Amino acid sequence: MKKTALIYSFNSNKTKLAAEKIAAEFEKGEVIKVNAEELAEEEFIAFDNYILGVPTWFDGELPNYWDEFVPALEDLNLKGKTFAIFGLGDQKGYPENFADGIGIMTNILENCGGKVIGSTSIDGYSYESSAAVRDGKFMGLVLDQENQARMTKERIKKWVEKLKKDFK
Ligand SMILES: Cc1cc2nc3c(=O)[nH]c(=O)nc-3n(C[C@H](O)[C@H](O)[C@H](O)COP(=O)(O)O)c2cc1C
């Protein structure tokens, strides 16, 4: 497996905890942690495989730190690069925008030529609508620390097992 960037906000709460659990599922040195709050295009483009931590904020929007990088991201050619997205959301508090950030980021990456892997089943979640869903599946791993914290460890384990096979 090529080196994988694990990009998330080092100042976040729940996303950071999830990212650390994800990193622990890989061998030492397989993933490189990168702070999403200090991203530069040159650093970003240097990887082939990416795991992005994208929680949903502001009723269905990206967090500030991702929003700030989006204009630079949109100018990049991501052909040949593979992305997997995990996103924190709250299905009871925000049932109409549950984990929308995953869907928003998926569209941006695909528009730049990137490939998004790591879709997961919507079974076991309860919400009204989610921009993270395409063809009946979430386009990444959805974690809900507010309502389903006890499921997080197992969800991460299963997801990472699959990523290890799907990342080249
Ligand atoms: C002001 C605010 C708005 C939020 N909006 C959404 C939302 O639209 N959809 C969603 O699924 N979760 C939403 N959430 C829940 C967060 O995504 C959730 O708490 C997540 O764990 C935050 O991760 P972080 O601590 O790493 O930023 C919102 C939380 C807050 C405080």
Side-chain angles (χ1 to χ4, degrees), residues 12 14-15 56-60 88-90 94 97-99 146:
S12 61
K14 292 166 181 147
T15 301
T56 303
W57 285 12
F58 312 123
D59 297 342
L88 285 280
D90 174 352
Y94 302 88
N97 302 95
F98 181 44
E146 269 84 4

